[in-house]
Amino acid sequence: MQFITSVIYVDNVEETLDFYYQAFGFITFSLSDNAEYGELSTGNVKIAFANHPYAQAHFKQGYIRAHPKQPALGFELRFNCTNLSESYDKAVLAGAEPLCPPNQKGSQTYAYVRAIEGTLICLYQN
């Protein structure tokens, strides 16, 4: 078995893909004709977004929607970057909510933002 994709359910797939491009530089890998599903080019493991009707058509169970005005869901996406301060500023300028500015704890340097759809993002620098 191999982990290949994480799918986040969102209100607007195209808007979310554009945000991830503006904030983090990830380009769109694929987008369905009706824009209900799209993937970012993020390496071996893709980050994908699907709209809520798409999700509901695939399974009938309910789920908790990520939303920037609600408490964050219990997971984060972590992106390694070469210039943490620059990456943080770029994400905030693109519309991310600033949560924790760049700081260092031991040998780790990191920052947290929240994406427009409500996902927690950790920006990490080795």
Side-chain angles (χ1 to χ4, degrees):
M1 187 174 297
Q2 183 180 9
F3 181 55
I4 58 170
T5 308
S6 290
V7 181
I8 301 170
Y9 303 126
V10 300
D11 291 325
N12 185 309
V13 173
E14 288 179 296
E15 180 180 281
T16 305
L17 291 169
D18 184 59
F19 165 78
Y20 277 78
Y21 173 72
Q22 297 298 325
F24 310 111
F26 294 121
I27 61 171
T28 298
F29 177 76
S30 67
L31 179 64
S32 65
D33 290 339
N34 57 5
E36 68 180 3
Y37 179 88
E39 295 178 339
L40 294 171
S41 182
T42 54
N44 291 336
V45 177
K46 299 282 185 266
I47 300 171
F49 302 96
N51 66 18
H52 296 292
Y54 176 94
Q56 292 159 349
H58 284 81
F59 60 91
K60 301 300 178 203
Q61 297 80 2
Y63 56 91
I64 299 171
R65 292 180 181 211
H67 191 280
K69 302 288 188 223
Q70 299 295 327
L73 300 177
F75 74 95
E76 68 184 50
L77 298 178
R78 185 170 285 201
F79 302 144
N80 192 24
C81 50
T82 55
N83 185 321
L84 183 61
S85 294
E86 183 179 293
S87 297
Y88 177 82
D89 291 343
K90 181 179 177 185
V92 172
L93 186 63
E97 176 187 356
L99 298 177
C100 173
N103 68 75
Q104 187 164 352
K105 189 171 188 179
S107 63
Q108 295 184 347
T109 305
Y110 61 90
Y112 278 90
V113 296
R114 194 158 178 202
I116 61 168
E117 81 287 348
T119 303
L120 291 174
I121 307 286
C122 177
L123 300 172
Y124 179 81
Q125 185 176 336
N126 292 5

